[in-house]
Amino acid sequence: MNRIRVAPVPVLTLDGPSGTGKGTVAAAVAEHTGWHVLDSGAMYRAFAFAANKRDVGPDNPVALESVGRSATIEFWVTACDGIRIIVDDDDVTEQVRGETAARLASRYAAVPAVRAILLTRQRAARRWPGLVADGRDMGAVVFPDAALKVFLTASPRVRAARRYKQLKNKGFDVNLASLESEIAERDEQDSVREASPLVPAVDAEMIDTSDLAIREVVIRVLNLLEEALPGSSSGGQHLT
Ligand code: DC
């Protein structure tokens, strides 16, 4: 019998803490390659929103499994409004983008039952021609066979300043000093948890983005991707 070996859908994982530029870099790399994007942080935010709405706290794994079965979480790609986050048929994009929702997401994200539910959904996002997966444990846990794993870092001050600008642009009322301490607290919570803590995969390429413009980070990632998977970085639009 002839066997046909089918190559797996290629994955690029982009992990790191908040404010390192992951989301922006993921979107730019996806545009350039023509690959899909998985924003796993948005999945955790949406799940936390759904559980909270049903009054199910992070300390109730059995009820959380039922949230996993009953909640519908969708991402709609729109032409003029970017990606919209839909939970139980309601557009909750604005509600889940702020720091309060992020703190809530971080608490639910520490629960192994929640991670198991979302792991299946995250792996289901792997589709041709490829996937750029943005998160905390994409390289270490979710896609261990990724073609390229990148872990972004930046100094706490730079990360807080970036997040401040991002939230201000979205119309949130934020304070830089309290944002810096909230980010530090969330990083600590994400890093010390037992289930999939925020740590780079052993085979990840580290990029410190503190003194780099987004464009420079994107070029570095595309160059690394071209080395790892020749021909992969030219499927979509070209950088101008
Ligand atoms: O990337 P973000 O800020 O949208 O993520 C929100 C929270 O979700 C973050 O504090 C930790 C959690 N998260 C996670 O535990 N694992 C992921 N792969 C992505 C996010």
Side-chain angles (χ1 to χ4, degrees):
M1 189 173 65
N2 288 333
R3 290 230 175 119
I4 300 172
R5 189 181 279 258
V6 180
V9 175
V11 179
L12 157 66
T13 58
L14 274 177
D15 289 301
S18 174
T20 47
K22 283 174 299 152
T24 317
V25 174
V29 170
E31 197 173 328
H32 191 76
T33 52
W35 289 10
H36 302 279
V37 180
L38 167 66
D39 178 352
S40 62
M43 252 188 200
Y44 280 99
R45 288 166 185 259
F47 186 91
F49 180 91
N52 196 44
K53 192 178 87 175
R54 288 164 170 78
D55 271 332
V56 176
D59 51 352
N60 191 344
V62 175
L64 285 170
E65 276 172 19
S66 125
V67 175
R69 286 189 296 273
S70 69
T72 58
I73 296 174
E74 294 167 290
F75 296 94
W76 292 358
V77 184
T78 65
C80 48
D81 244 356
I83 294 175
R84 308 300 299 175
I85 305 169
I86 314 293
V87 174
D88 299 327
D89 295 331
D90 284 333
D91 186 332
V92 299
T93 315
E94 271 71 42
Q95 291 161 79
V96 301
R97 282 297 180 202
E99 277 306 297
T100 311
R103 256 199 317 277
L104 197 65
S106 173
R107 288 180 54 219
Y108 284 93
V111 182
V114 173
R115 302 204 75 84
I117 292 163
L118 296 187
L119 179 81
T120 313
R121 295 188 187 200
Q122 286 157 3
R123 288 191 174 148
R126 187 172 189 165
R127 282 175 289 130
W128 289 102
L131 181 70
V132 182
D134 148 3
R136 303 289 191 287
D137 61 340
M138 295 293 103
V141 176
V142 183
F143 301 109
D145 63 337
L148 174 66
K149 301 176 185 177
V150 174
F151 194 92
L152 302 181
T153 60
S155 71
R157 176 121 315 166
V158 168
R159 294 196 287 119
R162 283 185 188 150
R163 190 79 183 123
Y164 176 80
K165 205 166 144 198
Q166 204 179 38
L167 289 169
K168 273 273 177 202
N169 285 342
K170 285 182 182 156
F172 286 96
D173 184 18
V174 274
N175 168 289
L176 185 58
S178 48
L179 192 59
E180 205 173 329
S181 62
E182 274 168 24
I183 288 179
E185 193 184 311
R186 188 148 64 91
D187 284 352
E188 168 76 6
Q189 190 162 282
D190 293 340
S191 306
V192 300
R193 68 180 178 221
E194 264 175 46
S196 307
L198 169 64
V199 283
V202 285
D203 48 350
E205 300 279 349
M206 307 292 290
I207 303 180
D208 183 343
T209 70
S210 303
D211 301 317
L212 296 175
I214 287 293
R215 197 188 141 77
E216 293 173 292
V217 184
V218 173
I219 290 171
R220 279 199 198 185
V221 172
L222 286 173
N223 286 340
L224 287 170
L225 189 59
E226 189 57 34
E227 269 172 39
L229 218 60
S232 58
S233 67
S234 53
Q237 296 184 13
H238 289 270
L239 279 183
T240 49

